[in-house]
Amino acid sequence: MNTRTIDSTTRIDWLAFTVKLPVCETWQQAHERLLDVLASELECFPSFDDADIRPITGRPPYRTATTKNGISLLVNHLVPHATVEVTGQGCVMLGEAGMRELLASKRVQEATTRLDIATDILTTVQPLEVQQAGYSERFESYSIVQSKSGDTLYVGSPKSDRFVRVYRYAEPHERAPFLRVEYVMRGDKAKAMMRFVADSTVVMAAASLNHVFDWRHPLFDSCKDSPRVPTIANNRASIGTQQWLMQQVRPALLKLAATGELSESFWQQFWMGLPGHPWDYGAGEESTGDRWQSFLDRQDPLFFD
């Protein structure tokens, strides 16, 4: 199969997580407690010393917020938790090191309430073309919003725990040359994907999501990136995570292997250190996909079925 590499970038574009706090007497006291917790656990977090606390509505149960550099702290001093929202601007401000620290934090992983993963693709393809080409039948809800500022395709309900926006801005916007594919996950799906990104890369996460939505447009066949080696733990206590790995991650990897988009060296590094990996079996001229299937056939059914 002939494919071509296209110009694209993938990154986390929104991250929200909760922080446990004691009930406080005042809003100011609650914000100070929150900042103390963040400072003690996350070196990457900026100072909010010069940020003003303002009242907010429409975000129950929170009544106050403070925002700086694309990061908002939502607080109600009578509620035993707060929410931290890191927007796209905030992700850029924190930089690679800061985002890596957030991803590595087990507390942040388990407290994640929303995670957006966005890919910007340099192409002339329009959102309507993506919709017309088709996608997985499991997502029945979709809508297209057209305006002077640009066109947006929604697949999946925006009220659900996972949906996607495919959009592009109209000229003369600086991002008009790019088609953005932006996955939004909430609740348990956000937590699971947060753990997956922490153990692999955001590029691998986007590839997995592309497979879930099963885009039929040729644009997605040519989206090739070289993901780093993910670490997948065989944790028998986490059956839900194991099912997700087998139902979503495994088919995505097999599809990439079948099209030759992952090199032999990638697979060798992928399995390095794991007992009984496919290269232990002297597979000879077998394809990477066949080697993996041979490996799966030999594994514990509790994890792989």
Side-chain angles (χ1 to χ4, degrees), residues 245-246 250-251 253-254 267 270-271 276-278 281 288-301 303-305:
L245 290 171
M246 288 307 299
R250 173 176 175 260
L253 289 174
L254 282 172
W267 288 103
F270 180 90
W271 292 105
H277 62 71
Y281 300 126
T288 52
D290 290 339
R291 289 189 186 190
W292 196 10
Q293 189 60 59
S294 298
F295 170 76
L296 293 175
D297 291 341
R298 293 170 167 82
Q299 302 310 303
D300 181 353
F303 179 58
F304 287 99
D305 285 345

Side-chain angles (χ1 to χ4, degrees), residues 138-157:
R138 65 189 290 189
F139 297 98
E140 298 179 356
S141 175
Y142 83 92
S143 62
I144 297 176
V145 178
Q146 297 178 309
S147 67
K148 292 182 179 180
S149 61
D151 297 343
T152 303
L153 164 67
Y154 292 87
V155 177
S157 171

Side-chain angles (χ1 to χ4, degrees), residues 221-282:
D221 292 336
S222 59
C223 290
K224 296 195 304 181
D225 288 289
S226 298
R228 299 175 186 172
V229 181
T231 302
I232 302 176
N234 185 352
N235 180 2
R236 290 175 176 268
S238 182
I239 302 301
T241 298
Q242 295 169 15
Q243 290 176 342
W244 171 70
L245 290 171
M246 288 307 299
Q247 293 172 6
Q248 298 183 24
V249 178
R250 173 176 175 260
L253 289 174
L254 282 172
K255 184 175 181 180
L256 290 171
T259 57
E261 295 184 29
L262 295 176
S263 66
E264 193 86 351
S265 63
F266 167 81
W267 288 103
Q268 290 175 350
Q269 293 178 64
F270 180 90
W271 292 105
M272 190 176 296
L274 294 178
H277 62 71
W279 278 262
D280 284 346
Y281 300 126

Side-chain angles (χ1 to χ4, degrees), residues 14-26:
W14 188 288
L15 171 61
F17 59 94
T18 57
V19 178
K20 292 182 180 179
L21 291 177
V23 172
C24 299
E25 295 183 359
T26 66

Side-chain angles (χ1 to χ4, degrees), residues 16 23 68-69 83 107 129 174 213 231 235-236 257 277 281:
V23 172
K68 185 176 180 179
N69 295 327
T83 286
R107 290 201 181 191
E129 295 177 68
E174 62 181 2
F213 282 81
T231 302
N235 180 2
R236 290 175 176 268
H277 62 71
Y281 300 126

Side-chain angles (χ1 to χ4, degrees), residues 62-250:
Y62 304 117
R63 299 292 184 86
T64 62
T66 182
T67 301
K68 185 176 180 179
N69 295 327
I71 301 176
S72 294
L73 312 178
L74 310 181
V75 172
N76 182 340
H77 66 290
L78 300 178
V79 175
H81 58 78
T83 286
V84 179
E85 290 184 343
V86 185
T87 66
Q89 177 191 354
C91 293
V92 172
M93 186 277 300
L94 289 175
E96 183 178 354
M99 292 305 296
R100 189 181 300 117
E101 183 184 4
L102 287 178
L103 288 167
S105 170
K106 296 299 183 183
R107 290 201 181 191
V108 174
Q109 291 177 23
E110 295 304 318
T112 297
T113 57
R114 176 177 165 183
L115 179 67
D116 293 10
I117 295 178
T119 299
D120 289 313
I121 308 170
L122 184 61
T123 178
T124 59
V125 173
Q126 300 292 323
L128 184 59
E129 295 177 68
V130 175
Q131 187 272 328
Q132 291 174 339
Y135 47 85
S136 174
E137 289 77 8
R138 65 189 290 189
F139 297 98
E140 298 179 356
S141 175
Y142 83 92
S143 62
I144 297 176
V145 178
Q146 297 178 309
S147 67
K148 292 182 179 180
S149 61
D151 297 343
T152 303
L153 164 67
Y154 292 87
V155 177
S157 171
K159 295 182 179 180
S160 67
D161 55 4
R162 180 175 59 200
F163 71 97
V164 60
R165 290 186 285 254
V166 181
Y167 65 92
R168 73 181 309 139
Y169 286 101
E171 296 286 359
H173 196 282
E174 62 181 2
R175 283 167 52 190
F178 296 90
L179 180 75
R180 168 162 285 204
V181 181
E182 188 172 271
Y183 295 103
V184 179
M185 290 149 286
R186 301 188 181 100
D188 289 342
K189 282 187 168 53
K191 292 179 175 64
M193 187 57 72
M194 185 72 170
R195 291 191 293 268
F196 181 64
V197 175
D199 287 340
S200 58
T201 68
V202 67
V203 172
M204 179 69 87
S208 174
L209 290 163
N210 286 341
H211 177 78
V212 170
F213 282 81
D214 192 20
W215 302 109
R216 313 288 164 76
H217 195 284
L219 174 69
F220 293 90
D221 292 336
S222 59
C223 290
K224 296 195 304 181
D225 288 289
S226 298
R228 299 175 186 172
V229 181
T231 302
I232 302 176
N234 185 352
N235 180 2
R236 290 175 176 268
S238 182
I239 302 301
T241 298
Q242 295 169 15
Q243 290 176 342
W244 171 70
L245 290 171
M246 288 307 299
Q247 293 172 6
Q248 298 183 24
V249 178
R250 173 176 175 260

